[in-house]
Amino acid sequence: MKLLHASLCLISLLLVLPSIFAASSTKDFDFFYFVQQWPGSYCDTQKSCCYPTSGKPAADFGIHGLWPNYKDGTYPSNCDATKPFVSSTISDLISSMKQNWPTLACPSGSGEAFWEHEWEKHGTCSESVINQHEYFQTSLNLKQKTNLLGALTKAGINPDGNSYSLESIRESIKESTGFTPWIECNRDGSGNSQLYQVYLCVDRSASGLIECPVFPRGKCGTEIEFPSF
């Protein structure tokens, strides 16, 4: 009788566990990083770059991704293998994505491999909030809303190969967007620190910018180059 009771308890537990895990995954992230990269800095490295098959992108910040994150600095990834990237889902966005979310990886490509990677690694972790089309549409909307190049050039910070203070770059973006960015640097072929990526934070519902709960790790110099493209 005790053995039967124990067996029944085990069966009940196995039946309940999936629902427990499902409930715990509803809060599957806390906020998004919206990341944009400067193409001049991507290409001005020892690694270099390749323009997309559609030609050289415009001299503007391009979208890198919209990344779900936790407040402790970690992040989920590759959350749903059953929801692959399907280009036909975003057919109405392709033209805008080629312009605003171009690939610079080698060998040259159309951009679809880049978008597929971003969706499958990051986008699938946001499905409790936005679907595949909304993921890309939201990113495009955020790029237009933040207008990083406009914010910098308005402050006299131009992609001319000169060096600017990290503080002036940060403050000009904050003044324009209303929120504090995190700046990521990389190094050019000569080893000089340069403006590479800008992180802004977005609330969990993907409805608007917020102050970042936590910044990524990394460090720039006090003066960094803003290379041409």
Side-chain angles (χ1 to χ4, degrees):
M1 188 67 181
K2 287 183 178 180
L3 181 60
L4 178 60
H5 180 72
S7 299
L8 290 173
C9 287
L10 178 60
I11 292 170
S12 299
L13 180 61
L14 291 173
L15 290 172
V16 169
L17 277 175
S19 62
I20 292 174
F21 285 126
S24 66
S25 66
T26 56
K27 184 100 163 67
D28 40 16
F29 65 98
D30 297 314
F31 69 98
F32 292 95
Y33 282 131
F34 178 56
V35 187
Q36 298 176 73
Q37 63 186 9
W38 178 248
S41 298
Y42 185 103
C43 293
D44 188 18
T45 64
Q46 292 180 340
K47 188 177 178 180
S48 192
C49 69
C50 293
Y51 297 154
T53 51
S54 55
K56 182 180 180 180
D60 192 8
F61 283 87
I63 298 168
H64 187 166
L66 184 64
W67 303 342
N69 270 257
Y70 299 121
K71 290 180 180 179
D72 66 1
T74 63
Y75 61 90
S77 65
N78 302 103
C79 295
D80 190 352
T82 68
K83 295 291 181 64
F85 173 75
V86 180
S87 59
S88 61
T89 303
I90 57 167
S91 58
D92 59 317
L93 305 178
I94 294 294
S95 177
S96 182
M97 287 177 63
K98 285 182 177 180
Q99 179 180 349
N100 295 289
W101 201 328
T103 179
L104 291 169
C106 296
S108 296
S110 65
E112 286 202 14
F114 184 21
W115 307 331
E116 178 181 23
H117 169 79
E118 290 300 311
W119 166 253
E120 294 184 355
K121 181 176 181 179
H122 300 288
T124 55
C125 300
S126 65
E127 288 179 300
S128 61
V129 178
I130 48 178
N131 61 33
Q132 189 168 148
H133 187 277
E134 292 166 339
Y135 176 80
F136 291 103
Q137 181 68 74
T138 297
S139 300
L140 292 169
N141 292 346
L142 286 166
K143 165 134 182 349
Q144 184 176 26
K145 179 180 180 179
T146 53
N147 186 17
L148 296 181
L149 185 59
L152 292 170
T153 55
K154 182 180 178 181
I157 301 170
N158 300 296
D160 52 14
N162 288 323
S163 293
Y164 298 90
S165 74
L166 176 63
E167 187 63 22
S168 67
I169 292 171
R170 185 186 294 119
E171 286 302 313
S172 65
I173 294 173
K174 182 177 180 180
E175 182 177 344
S176 178
T177 65
F179 297 92
T180 307
W182 188 77
I183 309 299
E184 179 183 355
C185 296
N186 66 359
R187 294 193 177 276
D188 64 17
S190 301
N192 300 307
S193 182
Q194 56 186 1
L195 171 60
Y196 174 41
Q197 297 197 128
V198 176
Y199 291 61
L200 287 161
C201 289
V202 179
D203 64 32
R204 189 180 180 280
S205 64
S207 59
L209 298 174
I210 58 171
E211 287 294 341
C212 290
V214 62
F215 286 124
R217 295 179 180 178
K219 189 176 182 180
C220 293
T222 55
E223 296 280 328
I224 58 176
E225 291 183 1
F226 192 9
S228 60
F229 179 64

